[in-house]
Amino acid sequence: MTRADLSVVLPTYNHARLLPRALDALLAQSLPAREVLVVDDASTDDTPAVLDRYARRHDAVRVVRN
């Protein structure tokens, strides 16, 4: 699959319930980004678990935790 030569940065903090919708939308683009960089600002909810699941399933998803 051809990928756009760009990166998307998605900041998050305690948005576990919203992340699947946002990440699914980014990954479903007709020309997906080469990289989806999610920056988690030390979330205390299930955000880290959601991000781990997406990072395991999608090579383009990279996670940075503060």
Side-chain angles (χ1 to χ4, degrees):
M1 173 185 284
T2 304
R3 294 191 176 276
D5 194 22
L6 64 97
S7 295
V8 175
V9 179
L10 178 67
T12 187
Y13 175 73
N14 287 345
H15 288 117
R17 65 184 175 83
L18 301 173
L19 279 171
R21 182 176 177 188
L23 290 170
D24 288 344
L26 289 170
L27 294 167
Q29 296 296 307
S30 58
L31 188 58
R34 185 171 309 278
E35 174 183 49
V36 177
L37 181 63
V38 185
V39 181
D40 178 23
D41 195 17
S43 294
T44 57
D45 64 354
D46 289 335
T47 294
V50 171
L51 294 177
D52 286 343
R53 282 195 306 270
Y54 272 86
R56 280 194 307 270
R57 288 190 317 213
H58 302 280
D59 292 337
V61 176
R62 300 180 195 272
V63 179
V64 175
R65 290 190 177 90
N66 289 331

